[in-house]
Amino acid sequence: MATAWLQRIMDGAVLRRLSTEPILVPVPGDAKEVGGVLNPGVVREKDGLLMLYRAVDAEGQSRLRAAVSDDGFCWERTGITFPADRWPGTVAAPWQLEDPRLTRMDSGGGHPEVVMACTEFDGGTAHIGLYSCAPPFFLRLGHVPTLEWDKDGALFPARRRGRYMLLRRPHPNVVLAMAPSLTGAWEDEGVVLAPRAEDPDAWDCAWVGAGAPPIRTPEGWFLLYHGVDRTRTYRLGGALLALDDPLQVLWRSPGDRPLLEPELPWERDGVVGNVVFSCAALPMPDGRLWCWYGGADRVIGVAAA
Ligand code: BMA
């Protein structure tokens, strides 16, 4: 039987907000997140859900903070901030960590249980860092070396013929890279998704990037992705990639029907207006696909299909 939430999405269902209010907003007076809480990654743990969200301080520095939840809706901060202050061992300005995407790896293979791919921004260029992630412990495994501005790293939970698969985003495309180890040399395999440049009215005509790490279903890998249009509005859509060859796109949200777009005041106005940006989607016990997302780079909301 087809995966129900996937079938609904391919039949035209969109993401519906579970609340018209954000589910996480900056704690008033907390200097480390006064500039916004946004773009969370979420992973299932033994006894609930773990979230790492991007916290921006008064100077605009971005770090990651942890929260936990039983139901995906009410979240409690754990008090863990990474890096706690400055980047460990450096005297210079720390890297900023942005947009954590958390992947629970298939068992076997000697890798960490949860791997985080996040953007490391050194003030000049952005690239993708990979971390073993078991808060409060984070171990940097390596990064994806590139001379380009690179973002939106999303690791698949499984390997293909022994090689890890990672989505990255050399502007403006989502590209598949593979490597024999998480610390190893990544090689590009090809473009998975390109912007719909041929259709200037499409919601994803300017550039695209991975949203949540790919979710395995019997029908294929479901990829939630973001797309940007000519007005720099960020929306979310979906794509289905072949299980045995993720370069093959079996289905993609139509150019006139994103899954979620900025509509509410806190999605339209904030630090960067007209942005819904996701790093996390999970099938939940209610049979729906839930998606956590940043609204206008300032607060966090949740929607489901
Ligand atoms: C992207 C990332 C995101 C951000 C988005 C919209 O490039 O930096 O963290 O949410 O832009 O500003």
Side-chain angles (χ1 to χ4, degrees):
M1 206 186 65
T3 306
W5 57 262
L6 177 64
Q7 194 59 55
R8 280 197 297 274
I9 288 174
M10 293 197 299
D11 288 345
V14 295
L15 288 161
R16 305 261 176 222
R17 291 159 187 84
L18 299 185
S19 162
T20 54
E21 296 301 318
I23 57 163
L24 208 76
V25 301
V27 172
D30 184 333
K32 283 228 171 75
E33 62 182 46
V34 63
V37 298
L38 61 153
N39 304 358
V42 176
V43 75
R44 191 163 281 115
E45 299 279 71
K46 275 182 209 75
D47 45 6
L49 297 165
L50 166 71
M51 170 190 282
L52 287 177
Y53 63 88
R54 185 175 160 195
V56 180
D57 72 14
E59 283 84 49
Q61 293 277 322
S62 178
R63 300 179 181 80
L64 305 180
R65 284 189 145 178
V68 289
S69 173
D70 291 331
D71 60 6
F73 193 81
C74 299
W75 292 87
E76 196 184 328
R77 289 165 169 85
T78 65
I80 294 168
T81 302
F82 177 69
D85 192 5
R86 289 178 157 265
W87 186 259
T90 63
V91 285
W95 283 333
Q96 303 204 39
L97 300 186
E98 304 177 355
D99 303 348
R101 293 182 174 86
L102 303 174
T103 301
R104 176 165 290 284
M105 301 299 296
D106 283 359
S107 54
H111 37 235
E113 283 181 29
V114 176
V115 177
M116 171 173 80
C118 67
T119 303
E120 296 177 337
F121 179 58
D122 65 7
T125 53
H127 60 255
I128 297 162
L130 293 169
Y131 294 76
S132 156
C133 177
F137 304 109
F138 295 84
L139 178 68
R140 188 168 186 267
L141 302 167
H143 67 287
V144 185
T146 173
L147 295 174
E148 305 159 298
W149 178 269
D150 202 4
K151 281 190 168 188
D152 303 323
L155 189 67
F156 287 70
R159 287 175 295 180
R160 183 173 175 229
R161 295 193 199 115
R163 292 198 300 160
Y164 292 91
M165 300 189 285
L166 177 94
L167 299 174
R168 63 183 205 98
R169 208 287 308 280
H171 209 271
N173 301 317
V174 176
V175 164
L176 175 70
M178 296 178 81
S181 90
L182 290 171
T183 55
W186 294 90
E187 269 177 38
D188 286 347
E189 296 288 313
V191 172
V192 176
L193 283 183
R196 256 180 282 236
E198 69 286 356
D199 177 2
D201 294 324
W203 63 272
D204 54 355
C205 68
W207 68 89
V208 289
I215 299 169
R216 195 207 316 250
T217 73
E219 294 83 5
W221 294 106
F222 178 76
L223 174 66
L224 184 79
Y225 74 96
H226 62 258
V228 180
D229 71 3
R230 286 181 295 174
T231 68
R232 293 184 81 95
T233 296
Y234 279 72
R235 297 179 175 84
L236 298 174
L240 189 68
L241 316 177
L243 281 183
D244 57 353
D245 178 12
L247 291 178
Q248 265 189 59
V249 179
L250 307 175
W251 175 85
R252 179 175 179 175
S253 287
D256 60 355
R257 195 166 173 81
L259 292 178
L260 191 74
E261 59 185 334
E263 280 167 17
L264 298 175
W266 49 270
E267 297 165 345
R268 300 183 68 94
D269 290 306
V271 176
V272 180
N274 296 314
V275 172
V276 290
F277 190 98
S278 179
C279 297
L282 290 177
M284 291 288 276
D286 67 359
R288 293 189 288 178
L289 180 77
W290 286 37
C291 159
W292 296 265
Y293 65 96
D297 284 2
R298 199 179 65 83
V299 295
I300 292 171
V302 64

mmCIF file with all atom_site columns, all heavy atoms in Angstrom, residues 38-39 54 98-99 149 151-152 169 207 226 234 272 275 277 297, ligand 1:
data_model
loop_
_atom_site.group_PDB
_atom_site.id
_atom_site.type_symbol
_atom_site.label_atom_id
_atom_site.label_alt_id
_atom_site.label_comp_id
_atom_site.label_asym_id
_atom_site.label_entity_id
_atom_site.label_seq_id
_atom_site.pdbx_PDB_ins_code
_atom_site.Cartn_x
_atom_site.Cartn_y
_atom_site.Cartn_z
_atom_site.occupancy
_atom_site.B_iso_or_equiv
_atom_site.pdbx_formal_charge
_atom_site.auth_seq_id
_atom_site.auth_comp_id
_atom_site.auth_asym_id
_atom_site.auth_atom_id
_atom_site.pdbx_PDB_model_num
ATOM   1   N N   . LEU A 1 38  ? 15.285 30.002 14.635 1.00 0.00 ? 38  LEU A N   1
ATOM   2   C CA  . LEU A 1 38  ? 14.827 29.658 13.284 1.00 0.00 ? 38  LEU A CA  1
ATOM   3   C C   . LEU A 1 38  ? 15.392 28.329 12.799 1.00 0.00 ? 38  LEU A C   1
ATOM   4   O O   . LEU A 1 38  ? 16.275 27.739 13.420 1.00 0.00 ? 38  LEU A O   1
ATOM   5   C CB  . LEU A 1 38  ? 15.190 30.778 12.287 1.00 0.00 ? 38  LEU A CB  1
ATOM   6   C CG  . LEU A 1 38  ? 16.658 31.136 12.069 1.00 0.00 ? 38  LEU A CG  1
ATOM   7   C CD1 . LEU A 1 38  ? 16.849 31.722 10.686 1.00 0.00 ? 38  LEU A CD1 1
ATOM   8   C CD2 . LEU A 1 38  ? 17.142 32.166 13.096 1.00 0.00 ? 38  LEU A CD2 1
ATOM   9   N N   . ASN A 1 39  ? 14.824 27.878 11.712 1.00 0.00 ? 39  ASN A N   1
ATOM   10  C CA  . ASN A 1 39  ? 15.340 26.784 10.881 1.00 0.00 ? 39  ASN A CA  1
ATOM   11  C C   . ASN A 1 39  ? 15.808 25.567 11.676 1.00 0.00 ? 39  ASN A C   1
ATOM   12  O O   . ASN A 1 39  ? 16.970 25.155 11.577 1.00 0.00 ? 39  ASN A O   1
ATOM   13  C CB  . ASN A 1 39  ? 16.465 27.302 9.991  1.00 0.00 ? 39  ASN A CB  1
ATOM   14  C CG  . ASN A 1 39  ? 16.019 28.477 9.141  1.00 0.00 ? 39  ASN A CG  1
ATOM   15  O OD1 . ASN A 1 39  ? 14.863 28.874 9.202  1.00 0.00 ? 39  ASN A OD1 1
ATOM   16  N ND2 . ASN A 1 39  ? 16.918 29.045 8.374  1.00 0.00 ? 39  ASN A ND2 1
ATOM   17  N N   . ARG A 1 54  ? 18.460 27.193 15.228 1.00 0.00 ? 54  ARG A N   1
ATOM   18  C CA  . ARG A 1 54  ? 19.444 28.238 15.031 1.00 0.00 ? 54  ARG A CA  1
ATOM   19  C C   . ARG A 1 54  ? 19.061 29.420 15.915 1.00 0.00 ? 54  ARG A C   1
ATOM   20  O O   . ARG A 1 54  ? 17.934 29.916 15.833 1.00 0.00 ? 54  ARG A O   1
ATOM   21  C CB  . ARG A 1 54  ? 19.438 28.606 13.549 1.00 0.00 ? 54  ARG A CB  1
ATOM   22  C CG  . ARG A 1 54  ? 20.468 29.574 13.158 1.00 0.00 ? 54  ARG A CG  1
ATOM   23  C CD  . ARG A 1 54  ? 20.436 29.769 11.639 1.00 0.00 ? 54  ARG A CD  1
ATOM   24  N NE  . ARG A 1 54  ? 21.086 31.028 11.381 1.00 0.00 ? 54  ARG A NE  1
ATOM   25  C CZ  . ARG A 1 54  ? 21.033 31.700 10.256 1.00 0.00 ? 54  ARG A CZ  1
ATOM   26  N NH1 . ARG A 1 54  ? 20.357 31.212 9.239  1.00 0.00 ? 54  ARG A NH1 1
ATOM   27  N NH2 . ARG A 1 54  ? 21.657 32.836 10.133 1.00 0.00 ? 54  ARG A NH2 1
ATOM   28  N N   . GLU A 1 98  ? 24.726 27.353 11.167 1.00 0.00 ? 98  GLU A N   1
ATOM   29  C CA  . GLU A 1 98  ? 23.378 27.671 10.694 1.00 0.00 ? 98  GLU A CA  1
ATOM   30  C C   . GLU A 1 98  ? 22.701 26.407 10.172 1.00 0.00 ? 98  GLU A C   1
ATOM   31  O O   . GLU A 1 98  ? 23.360 25.480 9.716  1.00 0.00 ? 98  GLU A O   1
ATOM   32  C CB  . GLU A 1 98  ? 23.457 28.674 9.530  1.00 0.00 ? 98  GLU A CB  1
ATOM   33  C CG  . GLU A 1 98  ? 24.202 29.951 9.873  1.00 0.00 ? 98  GLU A CG  1
ATOM   34  C CD  . GLU A 1 98  ? 24.322 30.897 8.686  1.00 0.00 ? 98  GLU A CD  1
ATOM   35  O OE1 . GLU A 1 98  ? 23.909 30.519 7.578  1.00 0.00 ? 98  GLU A OE1 1
ATOM   36  O OE2 . GLU A 1 98  ? 24.833 32.008 8.892  1.00 0.00 ? 98  GLU A OE2 1
ATOM   37  N N   . ASP A 1 99  ? 21.407 26.408 10.225 1.00 0.00 ? 99  ASP A N   1
ATOM   38  C CA  . ASP A 1 99  ? 20.571 25.457 9.498  1.00 0.00 ? 99  ASP A CA  1
ATOM   39  C C   . ASP A 1 99  ? 20.988 23.991 9.715  1.00 0.00 ? 99  ASP A C   1
ATOM   40  O O   . ASP A 1 99  ? 21.431 23.299 8.778  1.00 0.00 ? 99  ASP A O   1
ATOM   41  C CB  . ASP A 1 99  ? 20.587 25.792 7.998  1.00 0.00 ? 99  ASP A CB  1
ATOM   42  C CG  . ASP A 1 99  ? 20.129 27.237 7.757  1.00 0.00 ? 99  ASP A CG  1
ATOM   43  O OD1 . ASP A 1 99  ? 19.605 27.846 8.700  1.00 0.00 ? 99  ASP A OD1 1
ATOM   44  O OD2 . ASP A 1 99  ? 20.317 27.737 6.648  1.00 0.00 ? 99  ASP A OD2 1
ATOM   45  N N   . TRP A 1 149 ? 30.520 28.762 -2.668 1.00 0.00 ? 149 TRP A N   1
ATOM   46  C CA  . TRP A 1 149 ? 29.599 29.034 -1.570 1.00 0.00 ? 149 TRP A CA  1
ATOM   47  C C   . TRP A 1 149 ? 28.640 27.847 -1.516 1.00 0.00 ? 149 TRP A C   1
ATOM   48  O O   . TRP A 1 149 ? 27.951 27.557 -2.483 1.00 0.00 ? 149 TRP A O   1
ATOM   49  C CB  . TRP A 1 149 ? 28.876 30.333 -1.921 1.00 0.00 ? 149 TRP A CB  1
ATOM   50  C CG  . TRP A 1 149 ? 27.852 30.814 -0.975 1.00 0.00 ? 149 TRP A CG  1
ATOM   51  C CD1 . TRP A 1 149 ? 26.525 30.526 -1.002 1.00 0.00 ? 149 TRP A CD1 1
ATOM   52  C CD2 . TRP A 1 149 ? 28.052 31.709 0.113  1.00 0.00 ? 149 TRP A CD2 1
ATOM   53  N NE1 . TRP A 1 149 ? 25.889 31.192 0.008  1.00 0.00 ? 149 TRP A NE1 1
ATOM   54  C CE2 . TRP A 1 149 ? 26.786 31.925 0.707  1.00 0.00 ? 149 TRP A CE2 1
ATOM   55  C CE3 . TRP A 1 149 ? 29.168 32.352 0.650  1.00 0.00 ? 149 TRP A CE3 1
ATOM   56  C CZ2 . TRP A 1 149 ? 26.610 32.749 1.801  1.00 0.00 ? 149 TRP A CZ2 1
ATOM   57  C CZ3 . TRP A 1 149 ? 28.986 33.173 1.742  1.00 0.00 ? 149 TRP A CZ3 1
ATOM   58  C CH2 . TRP A 1 149 ? 27.738 33.374 2.312  1.00 0.00 ? 149 TRP A CH2 1
ATOM   59  N N   . LYS A 1 151 ? 25.761 25.441 0.779  1.00 0.00 ? 151 LYS A N   1
ATOM   60  C CA  . LYS A 1 151 ? 24.819 25.432 1.907  1.00 0.00 ? 151 LYS A CA  1
ATOM   61  C C   . LYS A 1 151 ? 23.896 24.237 1.775  1.00 0.00 ? 151 LYS A C   1
ATOM   62  O O   . LYS A 1 151 ? 24.018 23.446 0.861  1.00 0.00 ? 151 LYS A O   1
ATOM   63  C CB  . LYS A 1 151 ? 23.959 26.695 1.890  1.00 0.00 ? 151 LYS A CB  1
ATOM   64  C CG  . LYS A 1 151 ? 24.626 27.933 2.418  1.00 0.00 ? 151 LYS A CG  1
ATOM   65  C CD  . LYS A 1 151 ? 23.608 29.052 2.567  1.00 0.00 ? 151 LYS A CD  1
ATOM   66  C CE  . LYS A 1 151 ? 24.223 30.180 3.376  1.00 0.00 ? 151 LYS A CE  1
ATOM   67  N NZ  . LYS A 1 151 ? 23.237 31.191 3.720  1.00 0.00 ? 151 LYS A NZ  1
ATOM   68  N N   . ASP A 1 152 ? 22.941 24.167 2.696  1.00 0.00 ? 152 ASP A N   1
ATOM   69  C CA  . ASP A 1 152 ? 21.847 23.200 2.570  1.00 0.00 ? 152 ASP A CA  1
ATOM   70  C C   . ASP A 1 152 ? 22.356 21.766 2.449  1.00 0.00 ? 152 ASP A C   1
ATOM   71  O O   . ASP A 1 152 ? 21.923 21.010 1.569  1.00 0.00 ? 152 ASP A O   1
ATOM   72  C CB  . ASP A 1 152 ? 20.953 23.554 1.364  1.00 0.00 ? 152 ASP A CB  1
ATOM   73  C CG  . ASP A 1 152 ? 20.410 24.973 1.475  1.00 0.00 ? 152 ASP A CG  1
ATOM   74  O OD1 . ASP A 1 152 ? 20.092 25.382 2.601  1.00 0.00 ? 152 ASP A OD1 1
ATOM   75  O OD2 . ASP A 1 152 ? 20.331 25.662 0.451  1.00 0.00 ? 152 ASP A OD2 1
ATOM   76  N N   . ARG A 1 169 ? 24.392 22.350 -1.990 1.00 0.00 ? 169 ARG A N   1
ATOM   77  C CA  . ARG A 1 169 ? 23.756 23.345 -2.850 1.00 0.00 ? 169 ARG A CA  1
ATOM   78  C C   . ARG A 1 169 ? 24.755 24.398 -3.348 1.00 0.00 ? 169 ARG A C   1
ATOM   79  O O   . ARG A 1 169 ? 24.787 25.518 -2.880 1.00 0.00 ? 169 ARG A O   1
ATOM   80  C CB  . ARG A 1 169 ? 22.613 24.029 -2.104 1.00 0.00 ? 169 ARG A CB  1
ATOM   81  C CG  . ARG A 1 169 ? 21.495 24.553 -3.001 1.00 0.00 ? 169 ARG A CG  1
ATOM   82  C CD  . ARG A 1 169 ? 21.856 25.789 -3.794 1.00 0.00 ? 169 ARG A CD  1
ATOM   83  N NE  . ARG A 1 169 ? 22.385 26.831 -2.936 1.00 0.00 ? 169 ARG A NE  1
ATOM   84  C CZ  . ARG A 1 169 ? 21.630 27.642 -2.196 1.00 0.00 ? 169 ARG A CZ  1
ATOM   85  N NH1 . ARG A 1 169 ? 20.334 27.580 -2.245 1.00 0.00 ? 169 ARG A NH1 1
ATOM   86  N NH2 . ARG A 1 169 ? 22.192 28.531 -1.416 1.00 0.00 ? 169 ARG A NH2 1
ATOM   87  N N   . TRP A 1 207 ? 16.298 29.782 -7.360 1.00 0.00 ? 207 TRP A N   1
ATOM   88  C CA  . TRP A 1 207 ? 17.213 28.755 -6.866 1.00 0.00 ? 207 TRP A CA  1
ATOM   89  C C   . TRP A 1 207 ? 16.481 27.808 -5.920 1.00 0.00 ? 207 TRP A C   1
ATOM   90  O O   . TRP A 1 207 ? 15.371 28.114 -5.463 1.00 0.00 ? 207 TRP A O   1
ATOM   91  C CB  . TRP A 1 207 ? 18.483 29.312 -6.222 1.00 0.00 ? 207 TRP A CB  1
ATOM   92  C CG  . TRP A 1 207 ? 18.358 30.052 -4.921 1.00 0.00 ? 207 TRP A CG  1
ATOM   93  C CD1 . TRP A 1 207 ? 18.404 29.517 -3.672 1.00 0.00 ? 207 TRP A CD1 1
ATOM   94  C CD2 . TRP A 1 207 ? 18.237 31.468 -4.733 1.00 0.00 ? 207 TRP A CD2 1
ATOM   95  N NE1 . TRP A 1 207 ? 18.309 30.514 -2.724 1.00 0.00 ? 207 TRP A NE1 1
ATOM   96  C CE2 . TRP A 1 207 ? 18.205 31.707 -3.344 1.00 0.00 ? 207 TRP A CE2 1
ATOM   97  C CE3 . TRP A 1 207 ? 18.153 32.560 -5.600 1.00 0.00 ? 207 TRP A CE3 1
ATOM   98  C CZ2 . TRP A 1 207 ? 18.090 32.994 -2.806 1.00 0.00 ? 207 TRP A CZ2 1
ATOM   99  C CZ3 . TRP A 1 207 ? 18.029 33.841 -5.063 1.00 0.00 ? 207 TRP A CZ3 1
ATOM   100 C CH2 . TRP A 1 207 ? 18.009 34.043 -3.702 1.00 0.00 ? 207 TRP A CH2 1
ATOM   101 N N   . HIS A 1 226 ? 13.392 23.785 -0.474 1.00 0.00 ? 226 HIS A N   1
ATOM   102 C CA  . HIS A 1 226 ? 12.908 25.162 -0.579 1.00 0.00 ? 226 HIS A CA  1
ATOM   103 C C   . HIS A 1 226 ? 13.205 25.695 -1.973 1.00 0.00 ? 226 HIS A C   1
ATOM   104 O O   . HIS A 1 226 ? 14.156 25.275 -2.637 1.00 0.00 ? 226 HIS A O   1
ATOM   105 C CB  . HIS A 1 226 ? 13.499 26.073 0.503  1.00 0.00 ? 226 HIS A CB  1
ATOM   106 C CG  . HIS A 1 226 ? 14.985 26.231 0.463  1.00 0.00 ? 226 HIS A CG  1
ATOM   107 N ND1 . HIS A 1 226 ? 15.828 25.566 1.321  1.00 0.00 ? 226 HIS A ND1 1
ATOM   108 C CD2 . HIS A 1 226 ? 15.783 26.985 -0.330 1.00 0.00 ? 226 HIS A CD2 1
ATOM   109 C CE1 . HIS A 1 226 ? 17.074 25.896 1.050  1.00 0.00 ? 226 HIS A CE1 1
ATOM   110 N NE2 . HIS A 1 226 ? 17.083 26.767 0.051  1.00 0.00 ? 226 HIS A NE2 1
ATOM   111 N N   . TYR A 1 234 ? 10.780 32.768 -0.133 1.00 0.00 ? 234 TYR A N   1
ATOM   112 C CA  . TYR A 1 234 ? 11.144 31.362 0.095  1.00 0.00 ? 234 TYR A CA  1
ATOM   113 C C   . TYR A 1 234 ? 9.879  30.558 0.364  1.00 0.00 ? 234 TYR A C   1
ATOM   114 O O   . TYR A 1 234 ? 9.129  30.871 1.291  1.00 0.00 ? 234 TYR A O   1
ATOM   115 C CB  . TYR A 1 234 ? 12.060 31.224 1.314  1.00 0.00 ? 234 TYR A CB  1
ATOM   116 C CG  . TYR A 1 234 ? 13.515 31.524 1.069  1.00 0.00 ? 234 TYR A CG  1
ATOM   117 C CD1 . TYR A 1 234 ? 13.949 32.822 0.860  1.00 0.00 ? 234 TYR A CD1 1
ATOM   118 C CD2 . TYR A 1 234 ? 14.461 30.501 1.080  1.00 0.00 ? 234 TYR A CD2 1
ATOM   119 C CE1 . TYR A 1 234 ? 15.294 33.102 0.656  1.00 0.00 ? 234 TYR A CE1 1
ATOM   120 C CE2 . TYR A 1 234 ? 15.811 30.765 0.880  1.00 0.00 ? 234 TYR A CE2 1
ATOM   121 C CZ  . TYR A 1 234 ? 16.223 32.066 0.676  1.00 0.00 ? 234 TYR A CZ  1
ATOM   122 O OH  . TYR A 1 234 ? 17.541 32.336 0.475  1.00 0.00 ? 234 TYR A OH  1
ATOM   123 N N   . VAL A 1 272 ? 14.171 38.543 7.971  1.00 0.00 ? 272 VAL A N   1
ATOM   124 C CA  . VAL A 1 272 ? 14.127 38.525 6.504  1.00 0.00 ? 272 VAL A CA  1
ATOM   125 C C   . VAL A 1 272 ? 12.688 38.156 6.134  1.00 0.00 ? 272 VAL A C   1
ATOM   126 O O   . VAL A 1 272 ? 12.221 37.069 6.485  1.00 0.00 ? 272 VAL A O   1
ATOM   127 C CB  . VAL A 1 272 ? 15.109 37.494 5.902  1.00 0.00 ? 272 VAL A CB  1
ATOM   128 C CG1 . VAL A 1 272 ? 15.043 37.513 4.378  1.00 0.00 ? 272 VAL A CG1 1
ATOM   129 C CG2 . VAL A 1 272 ? 16.541 37.759 6.372  1.00 0.00 ? 272 VAL A CG2 1
ATOM   130 N N   . VAL A 1 275 ? 9.684  34.508 4.188  1.00 0.00 ? 275 VAL A N   1
ATOM   131 C CA  . VAL A 1 275 ? 10.502 33.296 4.223  1.00 0.00 ? 275 VAL A CA  1
ATOM   132 C C   . VAL A 1 275 ? 9.812  32.219 5.053  1.00 0.00 ? 275 VAL A C   1
ATOM   133 O O   . VAL A 1 275 ? 9.473  32.449 6.220  1.00 0.00 ? 275 VAL A O   1
ATOM   134 C CB  . VAL A 1 275 ? 11.899 33.567 4.848  1.00 0.00 ? 275 VAL A CB  1
ATOM   135 C CG1 . VAL A 1 275 ? 12.663 32.260 5.049  1.00 0.00 ? 275 VAL A CG1 1
ATOM   136 C CG2 . VAL A 1 275 ? 12.712 34.523 3.985  1.00 0.00 ? 275 VAL A CG2 1
ATOM   137 N N   . PHE A 1 277 ? 11.296 28.431 5.807  1.00 0.00 ? 277 PHE A N   1
ATOM   138 C CA  . PHE A 1 277 ? 12.550 27.718 5.517  1.00 0.00 ? 277 PHE A CA  1
ATOM   139 C C   . PHE A 1 277 ? 12.641 26.538 6.470  1.00 0.00 ? 277 PHE A C   1
ATOM   140 O O   . PHE A 1 277 ? 12.620 26.698 7.687  1.00 0.00 ? 277 PHE A O   1
ATOM   141 C CB  . PHE A 1 277 ? 13.728 28.668 5.741  1.00 0.00 ? 277 PHE A CB  1
ATOM   142 C CG  . PHE A 1 277 ? 15.052 28.128 5.249  1.00 0.00 ? 277 PHE A CG  1
ATOM   143 C CD1 . PHE A 1 277 ? 15.554 28.510 4.007  1.00 0.00 ? 277 PHE A CD1 1
ATOM   144 C CD2 . PHE A 1 277 ? 15.806 27.252 6.030  1.00 0.00 ? 277 PHE A CD2 1
ATOM   145 C CE1 . PHE A 1 277 ? 16.776 28.023 3.553  1.00 0.00 ? 277 PHE A CE1 1
ATOM   146 C CE2 . PHE A 1 277 ? 17.019 26.760 5.576  1.00 0.00 ? 277 PHE A CE2 1
ATOM   147 C CZ  . PHE A 1 277 ? 17.508 27.153 4.340  1.00 0.00 ? 277 PHE A CZ  1
ATOM   148 N N   . ASP A 1 297 ? 12.838 34.203 9.319  1.00 0.00 ? 297 ASP A N   1
ATOM   149 C CA  . ASP A 1 297 ? 14.141 34.141 10.001 1.00 0.00 ? 297 ASP A CA  1
ATOM   150 C C   . ASP A 1 297 ? 14.073 34.646 11.447 1.00 0.00 ? 297 ASP A C   1
ATOM   151 O O   . ASP A 1 297 ? 15.066 35.149 11.993 1.00 0.00 ? 297 ASP A O   1
ATOM   152 C CB  . ASP A 1 297 ? 15.218 34.929 9.220  1.00 0.00 ? 297 ASP A CB  1
ATOM   153 C CG  . ASP A 1 297 ? 15.704 34.166 7.985  1.00 0.00 ? 297 ASP A CG  1
ATOM   154 O OD1 . ASP A 1 297 ? 15.183 33.057 7.704  1.00 0.00 ? 297 ASP A OD1 1
ATOM   155 O OD2 . ASP A 1 297 ? 16.610 34.669 7.312  1.00 0.00 ? 297 ASP A OD2 1
HETATM 156 C C1  . BMA B 2 .   ? 19.365 31.064 3.441  1.00 0.00 ? 1   BMA B C1  1
HETATM 157 C C2  . BMA B 2 .   ? 19.877 30.609 4.797  1.00 0.00 ? 1   BMA B C2  1
HETATM 158 C C3  . BMA B 2 .   ? 18.746 30.462 5.780  1.00 0.00 ? 1   BMA B C3  1
HETATM 159 C C4  . BMA B 2 .   ? 17.773 31.607 5.756  1.00 0.00 ? 1   BMA B C4  1
HETATM 160 C C5  . BMA B 2 .   ? 17.375 31.938 4.331  1.00 0.00 ? 1   BMA B C5  1
HETATM 161 C C6  . BMA B 2 .   ? 16.441 33.132 4.226  1.00 0.00 ? 1   BMA B C6  1
HETATM 162 O O1  . BMA B 2 .   ? 20.434 31.373 2.602  1.00 0.00 ? 1   BMA B O1  1
HETATM 163 O O2  . BMA B 2 .   ? 20.781 31.562 5.279  1.00 0.00 ? 1   BMA B O2  1
HETATM 164 O O3  . BMA B 2 .   ? 19.283 30.333 7.090  1.00 0.00 ? 1   BMA B O3  1
HETATM 165 O O4  . BMA B 2 .   ? 16.619 31.252 6.479  1.00 0.00 ? 1   BMA B O4  1
HETATM 166 O O5  . BMA B 2 .   ? 18.545 32.185 3.568  1.00 0.00 ? 1   BMA B O5  1
HETATM 167 O O6  . BMA B 2 .   ? 17.027 34.315 4.732  1.00 0.00 ? 1   BMA B O6  1
#
